[in-house]
Amino acid sequence: MNNLVLTSHGNFCTELKNTVEMIMGPQENIYTVPLLAEEGEQEFLAKFAKETSTLEEYIVFSDLLGGTPCNVLSKKLMTGATFELYAGMNLPMVISFINGTLVGEASDFVGEARENIVKVNEIIETDIFDEEDE
């Protein structure tokens, strides 16, 4: 499956796609559905339905577990919709998804998302101490 739908509060999903394209080039199989401040659940749901109406299969990444975009889509799943929904999206997760698609293999985008959350200070401190030992 190579269609990915990004959903978020505000334009986070749109800007995340723009950032991914800056790194990976144009991504025709990534779609965005932002929940804007002036919109409610129904408007968001209508945009989501329109954006996914031509897609046979897709995976959805959402910004925040418990947030409106994720909650609205969770309700769709509970009433019979069939797609995978992941919350907590980040840039490494999306890039991992794309890389998996490019090589035709399943990617561990959840693992990549987790592994890329690091405290850089600790890495720097470890490297400094390692260099002193040499």
Side-chain angles (χ1 to χ4, degrees), residues 24-56:
M24 305 289 293
Q27 299 297 315
E28 295 179 11
N29 293 332
I30 296 181
Y31 306 86
T32 61
V33 184
L35 170 65
L36 303 177
E38 65 275 8
E39 297 173 334
E41 290 184 18
Q42 294 307 314
E43 291 89 354
F44 174 77
L45 194 55
K47 288 193 317 187
F48 183 83
K50 182 179 179 185
E51 195 67 34
T52 59
S53 65
T54 61
L55 305 177
E56 288 183 33

Short mmCIF file of all heavy atoms in Angstrom, two decimals, residues 24-56:
data_model
loop_
_atom_site.label_atom_id
_atom_site.label_comp_id
_atom_site.label_asym_id
_atom_site.label_seq_id
_atom_site.Cartn_x
_atom_site.Cartn_y
_atom_site.Cartn_z
N MET A 24 12.73 14.58 -0.03
CA MET A 24 12.55 13.38 -0.85
C MET A 24 12.03 13.64 -2.27
O MET A 24 11.87 12.71 -3.03
CB MET A 24 11.56 12.42 -0.16
CG MET A 24 11.91 12.03 1.26
SD MET A 24 13.31 10.93 1.37
CE MET A 24 12.67 9.45 0.63
N GLY A 25 11.71 14.87 -2.59
CA GLY A 25 11.14 15.17 -3.89
C GLY A 25 9.62 15.05 -3.86
O GLY A 25 9.03 14.69 -2.83
N PRO A 26 8.96 15.36 -4.97
CA PRO A 26 7.48 15.34 -5.03
C PRO A 26 6.90 13.99 -4.60
O PRO A 26 7.45 12.94 -4.93
CB PRO A 26 7.18 15.62 -6.50
CG PRO A 26 8.39 16.34 -7.01
CD PRO A 26 9.56 15.75 -6.25
N GLN A 27 5.81 14.04 -3.87
CA GLN A 27 5.16 12.84 -3.34
C GLN A 27 3.69 12.84 -3.76
O GLN A 27 2.84 13.41 -3.08
CB GLN A 27 5.28 12.78 -1.82
CG GLN A 27 6.70 12.74 -1.31
CD GLN A 27 7.43 11.50 -1.78
OE1 GLN A 27 6.89 10.39 -1.72
NE2 GLN A 27 8.66 11.67 -2.23
N GLU A 28 3.41 12.22 -4.88
CA GLU A 28 2.05 12.22 -5.43
C GLU A 28 1.09 11.32 -4.65
O GLU A 28 -0.12 11.44 -4.80
CB GLU A 28 2.09 11.83 -6.90
CG GLU A 28 2.82 12.84 -7.75
CD GLU A 28 2.88 12.45 -9.22
OE1 GLU A 28 2.18 11.50 -9.62
OE2 GLU A 28 3.64 13.11 -9.95
N ASN A 29 1.62 10.42 -3.85
CA ASN A 29 0.76 9.49 -3.10
C ASN A 29 0.60 9.87 -1.64
O ASN A 29 0.18 9.06 -0.83
CB ASN A 29 1.31 8.06 -3.21
CG ASN A 29 1.20 7.54 -4.62
OD1 ASN A 29 0.33 7.93 -5.39
ND2 ASN A 29 2.12 6.68 -4.99
N ILE A 30 0.95 11.11 -1.32
CA ILE A 30 0.70 11.62 0.03
C ILE A 30 -0.35 12.71 -0.07
O ILE A 30 -0.23 13.64 -0.87
CB ILE A 30 1.99 12.17 0.69
CG1 ILE A 30 3.00 11.04 0.88
CG2 ILE A 30 1.65 12.82 2.03
CD1 ILE A 30 4.30 11.47 1.54
N TYR A 31 -1.37 12.58 0.75
CA TYR A 31 -2.51 13.50 0.77
C TYR A 31 -2.60 14.13 2.15
O TYR A 31 -2.20 13.52 3.14
CB TYR A 31 -3.79 12.73 0.44
CG TYR A 31 -3.69 11.97 -0.86
CD1 TYR A 31 -3.14 10.68 -0.89
CD2 TYR A 31 -4.09 12.55 -2.05
CE1 TYR A 31 -3.01 9.99 -2.09
CE2 TYR A 31 -3.96 11.86 -3.26
CZ TYR A 31 -3.42 10.58 -3.27
OH TYR A 31 -3.30 9.90 -4.45
N THR A 32 -3.12 15.34 2.22
CA THR A 32 -3.23 16.01 3.51
C THR A 32 -4.67 16.45 3.77
O THR A 32 -5.38 16.88 2.86
CB THR A 32 -2.30 17.24 3.58
OG1 THR A 32 -2.68 18.18 2.57
CG2 THR A 32 -0.85 16.84 3.40
N VAL A 33 -5.06 16.34 5.04
CA VAL A 33 -6.37 16.79 5.48
C VAL A 33 -6.20 17.54 6.80
O VAL A 33 -6.18 16.94 7.87
CB VAL A 33 -7.37 15.62 5.65
CG1 VAL A 33 -8.76 16.15 6.00
CG2 VAL A 33 -7.43 14.75 4.40
N PRO A 34 -6.06 18.87 6.72
CA PRO A 34 -5.92 19.64 7.94
C PRO A 34 -7.28 19.99 8.55
O PRO A 34 -8.25 20.22 7.83
CB PRO A 34 -5.22 20.92 7.46
CG PRO A 34 -5.65 21.07 6.03
CD PRO A 34 -5.85 19.67 5.51
N LEU A 35 -7.33 19.98 9.87
CA LEU A 35 -8.50 20.50 10.58
C LEU A 35 -8.17 21.94 10.94
O LEU A 35 -7.31 22.19 11.78
CB LEU A 35 -8.77 19.69 11.85
CG LEU A 35 -9.82 20.27 12.80
CD1 LEU A 35 -11.21 20.29 12.15
CD2 LEU A 35 -9.85 19.51 14.12
N LEU A 36 -8.83 22.88 10.29
CA LEU A 36 -8.55 24.29 10.51
C LEU A 36 -9.36 24.81 11.70
O LEU A 36 -10.39 24.23 12.07
CB LEU A 36 -8.84 25.08 9.25
CG LEU A 36 -8.07 24.61 8.01
CD1 LEU A 36 -8.46 25.42 6.78
CD2 LEU A 36 -6.57 24.67 8.26
N ALA A 37 -8.91 25.91 12.28
CA ALA A 37 -9.50 26.45 13.50
C ALA A 37 -10.99 26.76 13.34
O ALA A 37 -11.77 26.58 14.27
CB ALA A 37 -8.74 27.70 13.94
N GLU A 38 -11.39 27.19 12.16
CA GLU A 38 -12.79 27.57 11.94
C GLU A 38 -13.68 26.37 11.58
O GLU A 38 -14.87 26.53 11.36
CB GLU A 38 -12.89 28.65 10.86
CG GLU A 38 -12.45 28.22 9.47
CD GLU A 38 -10.95 28.35 9.21
OE1 GLU A 38 -10.17 28.64 10.13
OE2 GLU A 38 -10.57 28.13 8.05
N GLU A 39 -13.12 25.18 11.52
CA GLU A 39 -13.88 23.99 11.13
C GLU A 39 -14.22 23.12 12.33
O GLU A 39 -13.53 23.13 13.34
CB GLU A 39 -13.06 23.16 10.13
CG GLU A 39 -12.77 23.88 8.84
CD GLU A 39 -11.82 23.11 7.94
OE1 GLU A 39 -11.01 22.30 8.43
OE2 GLU A 39 -11.90 23.34 6.72
N GLY A 40 -15.27 22.34 12.15
CA GLY A 40 -15.66 21.35 13.14
C GLY A 40 -15.48 19.95 12.60
O GLY A 40 -14.93 19.76 11.50
N GLU A 41 -15.97 18.98 13.35
CA GLU A 41 -15.83 17.58 12.96
C GLU A 41 -16.43 17.29 11.59
O GLU A 41 -15.85 16.57 10.80
CB GLU A 41 -16.47 16.67 14.01
CG GLU A 41 -15.73 16.62 15.31
CD GLU A 41 -16.33 15.63 16.29
OE1 GLU A 41 -17.11 14.73 15.86
OE2 GLU A 41 -16.02 15.73 17.48
N GLN A 42 -17.60 17.84 11.32
CA GLN A 42 -18.29 17.55 10.07
C GLN A 42 -17.52 18.07 8.85
O GLN A 42 -17.42 17.37 7.84
CB GLN A 42 -19.72 18.11 10.08
CG GLN A 42 -20.62 17.43 11.11
CD GLN A 42 -20.62 15.91 10.97
OE1 GLN A 42 -20.74 15.37 9.87
NE2 GLN A 42 -20.49 15.22 12.10
N GLU A 43 -16.98 19.27 8.97
CA GLU A 43 -16.19 19.82 7.86
C GLU A 43 -14.93 18.98 7.64
O GLU A 43 -14.57 18.69 6.50
CB GLU A 43 -15.80 21.28 8.13
CG GLU A 43 -16.96 22.25 8.09
CD GLU A 43 -17.64 22.44 9.44
OE1 GLU A 43 -17.29 21.74 10.42
OE2 GLU A 43 -18.54 23.29 9.52
N PHE A 44 -14.29 18.61 8.73
CA PHE A 44 -13.09 17.78 8.63
C PHE A 44 -13.43 16.44 7.98
O PHE A 44 -12.73 15.98 7.07
CB PHE A 44 -12.46 17.56 10.01
CG PHE A 44 -11.30 16.60 10.00
CD1 PHE A 44 -10.06 17.00 9.54
CD2 PHE A 44 -11.47 15.30 10.43
CE1 PHE A 44 -8.99 16.11 9.50
CE2 PHE A 44 -10.41 14.40 10.41
CZ PHE A 44 -9.16 14.81 9.94
N LEU A 45 -14.49 15.82 8.43
CA LEU A 45 -14.91 14.52 7.89
C LEU A 45 -15.24 14.63 6.41
O LEU A 45 -14.87 13.75 5.62
CB LEU A 45 -16.11 14.00 8.68
CG LEU A 45 -16.47 12.54 8.49
CD1 LEU A 45 -15.29 11.63 8.77
CD2 LEU A 45 -17.64 12.19 9.40
N ALA A 46 -15.89 15.71 6.00
CA ALA A 46 -16.22 15.91 4.58
C ALA A 46 -14.94 16.07 3.75
O ALA A 46 -14.82 15.50 2.66
CB ALA A 46 -17.12 17.13 4.41
N LYS A 47 -13.96 16.81 4.27
CA LYS A 47 -12.69 16.96 3.55
C LYS A 47 -11.96 15.63 3.45
O LYS A 47 -11.39 15.31 2.41
CB LYS A 47 -11.79 18.00 4.24
CG LYS A 47 -12.25 19.41 4.09
CD LYS A 47 -11.24 20.46 4.49
CE LYS A 47 -10.48 20.23 5.74
NZ LYS A 47 -9.65 21.37 6.16
N PHE A 48 -11.99 14.87 4.53
CA PHE A 48 -11.34 13.57 4.52
C PHE A 48 -12.00 12.65 3.49
O PHE A 48 -11.31 11.99 2.71
CB PHE A 48 -11.40 12.93 5.91
CG PHE A 48 -10.69 11.62 6.00
CD1 PHE A 48 -9.31 11.57 6.21
CD2 PHE A 48 -11.38 10.42 5.86
CE1 PHE A 48 -8.64 10.35 6.28
CE2 PHE A 48 -10.72 9.20 5.93
CZ PHE A 48 -9.35 9.17 6.13
N ALA A 49 -13.32 12.63 3.47
CA ALA A 49 -14.05 11.79 2.51
C ALA A 49 -13.73 12.19 1.08
O ALA A 49 -13.51 11.33 0.21
CB ALA A 49 -15.56 11.88 2.77
N LYS A 50 -13.68 13.48 0.82
CA LYS A 50 -13.36 13.96 -0.53
C LYS A 50 -11.94 13.57 -0.93
O LYS A 50 -11.70 13.09 -2.03
CB LYS A 50 -13.54 15.47 -0.61
CG LYS A 50 -13.27 16.04 -1.97
CD LYS A 50 -13.49 17.54 -2.02
CE LYS A 50 -13.19 18.06 -3.41
NZ LYS A 50 -13.27 19.52 -3.48
N GLU A 51 -10.99 13.75 -0.02
CA GLU A 51 -9.58 13.48 -0.31
C GLU A 51 -9.32 11.99 -0.55
O GLU A 51 -8.47 11.62 -1.35
CB GLU A 51 -8.69 14.00 0.82
CG GLU A 51 -7.24 14.09 0.49
CD GLU A 51 -6.93 15.14 -0.57
OE1 GLU A 51 -7.60 16.19 -0.62
OE2 GLU A 51 -6.00 14.90 -1.36
N THR A 52 -10.07 11.14 0.14
CA THR A 52 -9.82 9.69 0.04
C THR A 52 -10.80 8.98 -0.90
O THR A 52 -10.68 7.77 -1.08
CB THR A 52 -9.90 9.04 1.43
OG1 THR A 52 -11.19 9.28 2.01
CG2 THR A 52 -8.81 9.58 2.35
N SER A 53 -11.71 9.71 -1.51
CA SER A 53 -12.77 9.07 -2.32
C SER A 53 -12.24 8.27 -3.50
O SER A 53 -12.87 7.30 -3.91
CB SER A 53 -13.77 10.13 -2.80
OG SER A 53 -13.13 11.03 -3.69
N THR A 54 -11.10 8.63 -4.03
CA THR A 54 -10.56 7.91 -5.19
C THR A 54 -9.50 6.89 -4.81
O THR A 54 -8.94 6.22 -5.68
CB THR A 54 -9.96 8.89 -6.21
OG1 THR A 54 -8.89 9.61 -5.58
CG2 THR A 54 -11.02 9.87 -6.72
N LEU A 55 -9.20 6.78 -3.52
CA LEU A 55 -8.16 5.85 -3.07
C LEU A 55 -8.77 4.53 -2.66
O LEU A 55 -9.69 4.49 -1.86
CB LEU A 55 -7.40 6.45 -1.87
CG LEU A 55 -6.79 7.83 -2.07
CD1 LEU A 55 -6.15 8.31 -0.77
CD2 LEU A 55 -5.79 7.83 -3.21
N GLU A 56 -8.24 3.45 -3.20
CA GLU A 56 -8.74 2.13 -2.82
C GLU A 56 -8.23 1.74 -1.43
O GLU A 56 -8.98 1.22 -0.62
CB GLU A 56 -8.32 1.08 -3.85
CG GLU A 56 -9.07 1.21 -5.16
CD GLU A 56 -8.67 0.10 -6.12
OE1 GLU A 56 -8.37 -1.02 -5.67
OE2 GLU A 56 -8.68 0.37 -7.33
#
